């Protein structure tokens, strides 16, 4: 996006969804917002230590809402916050979303999105810089998403498989400690996580 569209990213935010949404999607495999937010915080801290990366910060607004907050509302929230923080700057707020979610929510007439194709899911919409809609089907980036599957991640934990290659070490340690203390789904085998 930087090279092709001359957009210089300043910062990224990760916004864990509300418990209502996650529990509806993952049922008994869902993890409470408090723990998901802490893992996002740990991952962001570890990521931000890398030189030359765009810093990413967790935000709790979406997770603290009483009900489901749809993607456009989350994007609008960040735009409002950033405009208050930087009132004299001309900032562009883009929501990064998987192509499957983008298409399922019929957002093709919307603006303010970076749509990333996931492996096995092609998108036939073209980028439209006039609408601030950018489609990324570049294998260099989409392959990064190939191993990110929350259900497969949870199954790896349940089966006692090592997960340090799936997440940051600080997150794996947090999961190990949380499982050991019985914070969530106590039937998982957590002894081989690291």
């Amino acid at each position: 996006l930087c090279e092709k569209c001359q957009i210089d990213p300043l910062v990224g935010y990760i916004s864990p969804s509300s418990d209502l949404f996650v529990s509806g999607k993952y049922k008994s495999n869902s993890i409470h917002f408090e723990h998901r937010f802490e893992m996002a915080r740990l991952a962001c801290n570890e990521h931000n230590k890398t030189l030359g990366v765009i810093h990413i910060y967790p935000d709790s607004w979406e997770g603290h809402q009483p009900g489901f907050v749809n993607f456009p509302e989350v994007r609008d929230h960040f735009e409002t916050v950033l405009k208050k923080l930087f009132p004299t700057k001309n900032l562009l707020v883009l929501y990064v979303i998987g192509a499957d979610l983008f298409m399922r929510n019929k957002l093709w007439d919307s603006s303010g999105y970076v749509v990333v194709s996931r492996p096995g899911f092609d998108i036939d919409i073209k980028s439209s810089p006039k609408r601030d809609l950018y489609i990324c089907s570049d294998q260099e980036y989409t392959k990064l998403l190939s191993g990110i599957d929350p259900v497969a991640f949870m199954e790896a934990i349940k089966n006692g498989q090592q997960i340090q290659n799936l997440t940051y070490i600080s997150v794996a340690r947090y999961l190990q400690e949380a499982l050991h203390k019985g914070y969530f789904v106590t039937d998982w085998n957590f002894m081989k996580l690291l």
Side-chain angles (χ1 to χ4, degrees), residues 28-184:
S28 65
N29 284 332
S30 67
I31 296 175
H32 189 274
F33 170 77
E34 166 192 350
H35 298 292
R36 289 182 288 110
F37 184 81
E38 180 61 15
M39 288 184 282
R41 187 189 69 73
L42 290 167
C44 289
N45 286 347
E46 206 165 322
H47 165 83
N48 293 344
K49 290 178 184 176
T50 306
L51 292 177
V53 299
I54 299 165
H55 283 209
I56 301 173
Y57 299 96
D59 185 87
S60 63
W61 177 81
E62 181 182 358
H64 283 130
Q65 300 309 301
F68 173 70
V69 181
N70 209 347
F71 309 114
E73 294 172 74
V74 176
R75 196 198 75 73
D76 291 347
H77 161 73
F78 283 112
E79 185 171 61
T80 300
V81 167
L82 290 170
K83 283 185 177 182
K84 286 180 184 175
L85 290 172
F86 304 99
T88 62
K89 302 290 183 189
N90 183 18
L91 298 175
L92 172 62
V93 176
L94 298 171
Y95 188 102
V96 180
I97 186 170
D100 52 338
L101 293 174
F102 181 82
M103 297 302 288
R104 188 175 336 139
N105 286 279
K106 302 176 183 174
L107 296 171
W108 46 81
D109 290 327
S110 302
S111 61
Y113 289 93
V114 175
V115 183
V116 181
S117 289
R118 297 179 194 248
F121 191 94
D122 294 324
I123 185 167
D124 58 359
I125 294 174
K126 304 288 183 215
S127 290
S128 174
K130 289 181 182 177
R131 291 189 12 238
D132 294 319
L133 178 64
Y134 304 93
I135 309 299
C136 176
S137 298
D138 189 332
Q139 286 285 334
E140 178 183 355
Y141 303 105
T142 60
K143 71 179 180 183
L144 295 173
L145 298 176
S146 65
I148 302 174
D149 175 2
V151 174
F153 185 79
M154 302 302 253
E155 286 300 315
I157 293 171
K158 283 183 180 180
N159 295 329
Q161 298 170 350
Q162 293 188 358
I163 61 169
Q164 74 268 21
N165 61 331
L166 300 175
T167 188
Y168 289 98
I169 294 296
S170 58
V171 175
R173 286 184 179 139
Y174 181 87
L175 276 168
Q176 184 177 28
E177 183 177 318
L179 289 166
H180 180 71
K181 290 181 178 178
Y183 289 156
F184 44 82

